[in-house]
Amino acid sequence: MDNEFRVTAQELPGAIESLLFVSGDPISADKLADLLNVKKAAIEEALKSLINKYKNNPWGGLEIRKIEDSYAMMTRPEQKRFIERLYAPKTQVPLSQASYETLAVIAYNQPCTRAQVETVRGVSSDSIISRLLDRGWIEEAGCLDAPGRPALFATSKQFLTEFGIESVEDLPPMELMSYQTIRDMENSLREAAGGEDKQITIDSIMDGSKSEDEGEEDADGND
């Protein structure tokens, strides 16, 4: 840290906005404090004010969202239709019911191994886990201290960002297998986000496309 570097109280909000804007990725409060040579408490207080400022501006296009211990600046979900006029939506293979079921297993039991996921689902989930890794919604979170050291999987910050929740602790306390449909999972995530629109919705993922192979057969050919 450069002890000669100083940021005044008046400069602090703008400095934080600038760093979040140019970063694109979430930045932790500790990292902001280190970059600006300011106490973490001052950073968190300034961030609280900035979040409220953006939230209370009904015509603004941006928001600052807390994701675990980090903060990110992003466009509001309702701005999607304008942004799509500049950037053509990327074509992504839509995820099936089986993929969302696997995602729910991991979200509510993380960190967990492939074998643990398959115990809950009753079928091989290798191909689906690979697909969720490619989508960025799950990530490896170390290895289980057991023979073979199997990889553990957990939801990622991208999962939190795209589904509009601050932490996995905000997931509603529902029995895992109560998710009979993709819509059930979407509705519960909306509740966790305080009833507000998410950055992404199941509809937006699956819009204009059919689910992969309807029922999505797993690698071993099971539905």
Side-chain angles (χ1 to χ4, degrees):
M1 181 183 293
D2 184 357
N3 291 326
E4 295 183 359
F5 184 83
R6 293 288 182 270
V7 177
T8 66
Q10 292 77 17
E11 293 174 320
L12 186 57
I16 292 173
E17 281 183 306
S18 299
L19 290 173
L20 294 179
F21 180 82
V22 299
S23 170
D25 296 322
I27 306 179
S28 69
D30 286 327
K31 179 67 173 179
L32 288 168
D34 183 60
L35 288 169
L36 298 176
N37 198 18
V38 174
K39 290 183 178 180
K40 183 178 178 180
I43 293 290
E44 291 177 333
E45 186 63 30
L47 279 163
K48 183 179 179 180
S49 297
L50 283 169
I51 289 171
N52 287 332
K53 183 187 80 170
Y54 281 99
K55 185 176 181 179
N56 294 328
N57 179 5
W59 303 112
L62 301 174
E63 65 181 3
I64 295 177
R65 186 181 297 170
K66 185 177 181 183
I67 305 164
E68 293 183 333
D69 62 344
S70 300
Y71 298 82
M73 179 176 286
M74 57 190 68
T75 57
R76 288 180 171 178
E78 58 267 29
Q79 302 302 314
K80 177 184 175 183
R81 67 190 184 100
F82 305 123
I83 296 170
E84 285 180 345
R85 292 180 66 83
L86 178 62
Y87 298 104
K90 293 181 179 179
T91 301
Q92 280 189 319
V93 178
L95 297 179
S96 70
Q97 173 67 40
S99 294
Y100 281 97
E101 179 182 297
T102 303
L103 178 62
V105 172
I106 294 171
Y108 278 87
N109 295 274
Q110 60 186 303
C112 55
T113 65
R114 291 176 190 266
Q116 290 167 335
V117 172
E118 290 168 1
T119 296
V120 176
R121 295 195 63 232
V123 294
S124 173
S125 300
D126 283 353
S127 62
I128 297 177
I129 287 176
S130 296
R131 194 167 296 119
L132 292 173
L133 285 167
D134 290 341
R135 187 65 63 98
W137 286 351
I138 64 171
E139 60 190 6
E140 291 194 17
C143 297
L144 184 66
D145 187 12
R149 304 281 294 173
L152 290 165
F153 297 97
T155 52
S156 65
K157 285 190 175 181
Q158 184 173 333
F159 165 81
L160 299 177
T161 299
E162 295 191 15
F163 282 90
I165 54 178
E166 180 179 323
S167 166
V168 293
E169 294 178 359
D170 294 330
L171 286 168
M174 300 178 70
E175 289 295 329
L176 172 64
M177 297 316 293
S178 69
Y179 289 122
Q180 299 299 321
T181 66
I182 293 175
R183 184 68 58 207
D184 290 338
M185 186 176 184
E186 180 182 343
N187 290 340
S188 67
L189 285 168
R190 181 180 291 108
E191 288 180 21
E196 298 179 359
D197 288 338
K198 301 181 294 299
Q199 192 71 12
I200 197 168
T201 65
I202 306 304
D203 286 337
S204 68
I205 297 169
M206 304 187 72
D207 185 32
S209 304
K210 295 181 180 179
S211 64
E212 308 160 315
D213 297 329
E214 276 193 46
E216 187 180 38
E217 293 191 355
D218 296 302
D220 63 357
N222 292 320
D223 288 334

